[in-house]
Amino acid sequence: MTTDTETNSTDRPAAGDGPRTGERRTRNSQPARNGAPGAGRPRITGRRLGAWAAGLAGVLLLVLLPLLNISLPGVLPGPSYTPGSLQLLAMCMLMAAAALTYHLLLGVAGLLSFGHALYFGAGVYGLAIILQNLEIPLLPAMGLTLLIVIVLAHVVGSISLRVSGIPFAMVTLAFAQAGSVIVGRNPEGQTGGDEGLTLRTDNLPDFLVGVVNTRNLYWLALAVLVAVFIIVTWVQSSRAGHAAAAVRENELRVRVLGLQPYLVKLLIFVLSATLVGVIGMVFLLLQSGAVPRAISSDLTITLLVMVVLGGVGSRWGAVIGGVFYTILDQRLTTLANSDAVKALPDILRVPLSEPLFILGTLFILVVLFLPGGLAGTAERLAQRRRGPRPGGAETPREILEDAA
């Protein structure tokens, strides 16, 4: 059992520790509970720094992408600077950000919700209706929409979290279906019914309107993805995130320790709904309109599939799953209508002409043969190349278990 003094920068290494002077050893230690200096701080390792450096380099590349002439046949519909490619990439980023918010629910708090699309749709339709009926600029309209999403999330979360497991999933599904029915019935002509709602652009800034400004919408989507990733990372590494992970593993033990699991889960629920509501607003600007699918249960299932494909419990997995699924969903539709598929025999043409069939088959294969999703598989391959972990260094899973 280690002591709190081992977290101080003046620590001397124990016998056999070698050159790891001053390194905090977390296995079987409880620095966050004892309040030692530096307690609860994540270890800064060369691997962690390398990951963040690679992430910053990737973000910089994405920032410059609209200024470059990069072609990816089969992935992008044209060069990277064209509006069609930027539209697809922006959609990938928004869906990746939405998958990150679902990761907060499922991967961190262990809440299987079937109604996450309700708050995405509230952001989409709320902003569209406000802009349609009120003569106010974009930012105040977004602020008012955000307030509506927060209140809605508090009400639904307060009721839904009275139960857990499958009953919780069914209650969230019921609320989402109610929202979908309201949109479909088009009360007083406000939602547009099955036809959706066209975005009114009178009060929007000129740099966000029109195909010629797709580049600006792309950068806005990238900023939203980066902001959501930073917020999710901060929440997951905070005390609230650790408490949520502990509730996910053993809620009874958390109650015995004197904490309130209900409040922890409600906090994660409302935060996740708020973030996806903001993403829904940007989605409205990107698509220039609201469609009923934005509030349907199909979208929630899509987010769940993205998280599972990428790897449950992994932030990068949620991002990878969101981008991977969105590109496949968009490009498989083009493939299904291509002359090459139409020329195939019926035994091949029929399944290949249905994008959902291909996506479903891919999902089954990942679940069966790639446990941990794409991110988990990449982590295992990297671990095999590195060989055994020196000095008994902890894996991210072990760190999460200790925090819980």
Side-chain angles (χ1 to χ4, degrees), residues 39-94:
R41 296 176 185 171
R43 293 176 300 177
I44 300 178
T45 62
R47 184 180 169 192
R48 182 186 294 270
L49 289 176
W52 281 103
L56 289 175
V59 171
L60 180 60
L61 176 61
L62 291 175
V63 170
L64 298 176
L65 196 59
L67 308 177
L68 304 176
N69 184 3
I70 299 176
S71 297
L72 296 175
V75 178
L76 297 178
S80 58
Y81 64 86
T82 58
S85 296
L86 293 177
Q87 178 91 1
L88 175 58
L89 291 172
M91 182 62 65
C92 289
M93 293 174 188
L94 291 182

Side-chain angles (χ1 to χ4, degrees), residues 338-346 349:
S338 65
D339 294 334
V341 171
K342 293 179 180 178
L344 293 174
D346 290 345
R349 179 181 55 80

Side-chain angles (χ1 to χ4, degrees), residues 240-321:
H242 291 167
V247 171
R248 180 195 67 214
E249 298 297 331
N250 194 323
E251 184 171 341
L252 179 60
R253 181 177 296 179
V254 174
R255 293 182 185 275
V256 172
L257 292 175
L259 300 178
Q260 299 183 21
Y262 176 81
L263 295 181
V264 173
K265 292 189 291 186
L266 181 61
L267 174 63
I268 297 296
F269 187 94
V270 173
L271 178 60
S272 176
T274 302
L275 291 176
V276 82
V278 174
I279 296 167
M281 298 182 215
V282 180
F283 177 87
L284 172 70
L285 299 177
L286 181 65
Q287 295 293 97
S288 298
V291 292
R293 187 180 182 275
I295 200 170
S296 67
S297 57
D298 292 346
L299 179 61
T300 301
I301 300 301
T302 299
L303 295 178
L304 173 60
V305 171
M306 290 176 181
V307 172
V308 174
L309 281 177
V312 178
S314 169
R315 293 187 299 272
W316 284 111
V319 174
I320 294 172

Side-chain angles (χ1 to χ4, degrees), residues 135-350:
E135 296 293 338
I136 59 176
L138 176 61
L139 289 181
M142 294 182 71
L144 182 57
T145 305
L146 186 62
L147 179 61
I148 295 173
V149 172
I150 293 174
V151 172
L152 177 64
H154 267 98
V155 173
V156 176
S158 299
I159 298 173
S160 303
L161 289 171
R162 297 296 178 181
V163 293
S164 60
I166 298 301
F168 168 79
M170 293 298 101
V171 173
T172 57
L173 176 62
F175 277 107
Q177 288 297 102
S180 180
V181 169
I182 292 175
V183 168
R185 291 191 174 182
N186 191 21
E188 298 183 3
Q190 293 297 315
T191 64
D194 294 336
E195 299 298 326
L197 199 61
T198 303
L199 175 64
R200 180 184 175 186
T201 60
D202 296 350
N203 296 328
L204 297 183
D206 292 337
F207 63 87
L208 293 179
V209 180
V211 177
V212 295
N213 291 313
T214 306
R215 178 187 303 177
N216 297 328
L217 292 170
Y218 165 87
W219 281 324
L220 178 60
L222 176 60
V224 168
L225 174 59
V226 173
V228 170
F229 188 89
I230 292 174
I231 293 173
V232 170
T233 301
W234 172 69
V235 170
Q236 192 168 348
S237 60
S238 67
R239 291 185 177 182
H242 291 167
V247 171
R248 180 195 67 214
E249 298 297 331
N250 194 323
E251 184 171 341
L252 179 60
R253 181 177 296 179
V254 174
R255 293 182 185 275
V256 172
L257 292 175
L259 300 178
Q260 299 183 21
Y262 176 81
L263 295 181
V264 173
K265 292 189 291 186
L266 181 61
L267 174 63
I268 297 296
F269 187 94
V270 173
L271 178 60
S272 176
T274 302
L275 291 176
V276 82
V278 174
I279 296 167
M281 298 182 215
V282 180
F283 177 87
L284 172 70
L285 299 177
L286 181 65
Q287 295 293 97
S288 298
V291 292
R293 187 180 182 275
I295 200 170
S296 67
S297 57
D298 292 346
L299 179 61
T300 301
I301 300 301
T302 299
L303 295 178
L304 173 60
V305 171
M306 290 176 181
V307 172
V308 174
L309 281 177
V312 178
S314 169
R315 293 187 299 272
W316 284 111
V319 174
I320 294 172
V323 172
F324 185 68
Y325 183 96
T326 305
I327 289 180
L328 280 181
D329 187 37
Q330 296 287 331
R331 303 311 296 167
L332 285 178
T333 303
T334 304
L335 175 65
N337 297 323
S338 65
D339 294 334
V341 171
K342 293 179 180 178
L344 293 174
D346 290 345
I347 192 173
L348 296 176
R349 179 181 55 80
V350 173

